[in-house]
């Protein structure tokens, strides 16, 4: 299902600008949380378990034949409140990106 990224999610990517932005956003989140200005909806242990589970699922996906294409420009949103990771920008897995119709034909034969 299509799902909107939760408010306050952090963009994480491996390219330098996205990585620097993620580190800055995570640092700001931790400062707010430590100052008790950031409320979280999920228990800290549950959040860490979810992030760990999503991280390992991502690792398996990236090591698979089907998911290796995601490494071209790996980027996810991380919800710091719940620990969930959300992928976006799947077009890097298609060889021909020139037309939307080519993409949809591959998804919906």
């Amino acid at each position: 299902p299509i799902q909107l990224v939760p408010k306050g999610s952090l963009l994480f990517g491996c390219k330098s600008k996205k990585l620097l932005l993620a580190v800055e956003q995570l640092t700001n989140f931790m400062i707010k949380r430590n100052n008790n200005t950031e409320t979280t909806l999920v228990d800290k242990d549950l959040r860490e378990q979810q992030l760990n589970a999503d991280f390992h699922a991502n690792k398996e996906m990236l090591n698979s034949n089907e998911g290796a294409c995601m490494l071209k420009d790996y980027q996810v949103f991380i919800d710091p409140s719940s620990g969930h990771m959300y992928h976006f920008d799947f077009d890097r897995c298609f060889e021909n990106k020139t037309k939307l119709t080519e993409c949809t034909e591959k998804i919906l034969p």
Side-chain angles (χ1 to χ4, degrees):
I2 295 174
Q3 186 173 356
L4 297 177
V5 176
K7 183 178 178 180
S9 292
L10 310 175
L11 172 62
F12 174 83
C14 289
K15 293 193 176 181
S16 61
K17 288 182 182 180
K18 291 176 189 161
L19 184 57
L20 291 173
L21 178 63
V23 169
E24 180 182 326
Q25 290 177 332
L26 184 58
T27 300
N28 290 336
F29 173 78
M30 296 302 288
I31 290 169
K32 287 179 184 177
R33 193 188 73 191
N34 290 339
N35 291 334
N36 292 323
T37 59
E38 186 71 30
T39 57
T40 57
L41 301 175
V42 177
D43 177 81
K44 179 183 173 188
D45 291 335
L46 291 175
R47 181 177 57 240
E48 289 178 8
Q49 288 174 7
Q50 183 62 55
L51 186 59
N52 191 40
D54 282 6
F55 174 78
H56 287 293
N58 273 274
K59 189 175 175 182
E60 286 183 32
M61 181 265 306
L62 293 170
N63 287 321
S64 72
N65 290 334
E66 298 84 8
C69 59
M70 299 293 278
L71 285 169
K72 291 179 186 173
D73 183 16
Y74 182 74
Q75 49 192 348
V76 294
F77 280 105
I78 299 173
D79 179 359
S81 295
S82 69
H84 283 284
M85 297 174 76
Y86 300 88
H87 283 273
F88 68 102
D89 196 16
F90 293 99
D91 65 336
R92 60 191 174 271
C93 289
F94 300 101
E95 294 176 0
N96 298 321
K97 299 180 188 179
T98 56
K99 295 180 183 178
L100 180 61
T101 54
E102 291 175 358
C103 176
T104 56
E105 286 173 0
K106 289 182 180 183
I107 296 172
L108 306 170

